[in-house]
Structure formats: C-alpha cells, structure tokens
Amino acid sequence: MTDSGEASVIDPDRLDIYAQRMRLRAVDALESSQRRTSGDGRQWRCGHDAAIALADRIGRAPVACEVRDVDR
C-alpha cells in the first residue's frame, strides 16, 4: 500500500499525510521537543531544527510513502 499527498512534518522522523501518521523507516531522529547543550553551554533546539529542515526539504511537493510495517 502507498499513501501519497501533501505531508506535514510531525517530528524529524514522522510525517502526516491526510491524517495518516507515517514513521520514516531507518531514520532515528530526536523528537521535535528535544534539546541538547551546544559546546559553549547554550541550549539548542536540535529536534525542532531537524523537523524544520525536513519540512523545508519537502516543501509543498507531494510525498509518496510505501507502507512496510505498522507501529503499535
């Protein structure tokens, strides 16, 4: 089965296509809310930045996802 359409980024490893949540296979990414401390001691919103980067990459172009597994 393949789902396709305009995707919304939920997390750096999760998309929503027409209310259907898709987890990207073989992608292990931080949740959007996760932070890390940078080398100079400042908090960095790395999960948020990764989600924004994915959303920028996808844009409004249609995305097609082949369903391989179903998460619990």
Side-chain angles (χ1 to χ4, degrees):
M1 170 176 35
T2 301
D3 284 339
S4 62
E6 190 175 318
S8 298
V9 175
I10 305 302
D11 281 316
D13 61 353
R14 257 184 269 170
L15 303 176
D16 186 272
I17 301 175
Y18 299 121
Q20 183 71 28
R21 293 273 166 108
M22 302 286 169
R23 182 179 302 274
L24 302 177
R25 187 179 183 96
V27 174
D28 185 19
L30 299 169
E31 300 297 315
S32 292
S33 62
Q34 286 184 295
R35 297 171 183 250
R36 293 289 185 250
T37 303
S38 65
D40 62 3
R42 290 185 296 162
Q43 287 287 306
W44 174 40
R45 296 172 50 187
C46 52
H48 176 263
D49 289 353
I52 294 296
L54 178 58
D56 287 347
R57 175 80 172 148
I58 293 170
R60 299 189 69 82
V63 173
C65 293
E66 180 182 341
V67 177
R68 294 239 178 126
D69 296 338
V70 176
D71 272 353
R72 287 181 260 157

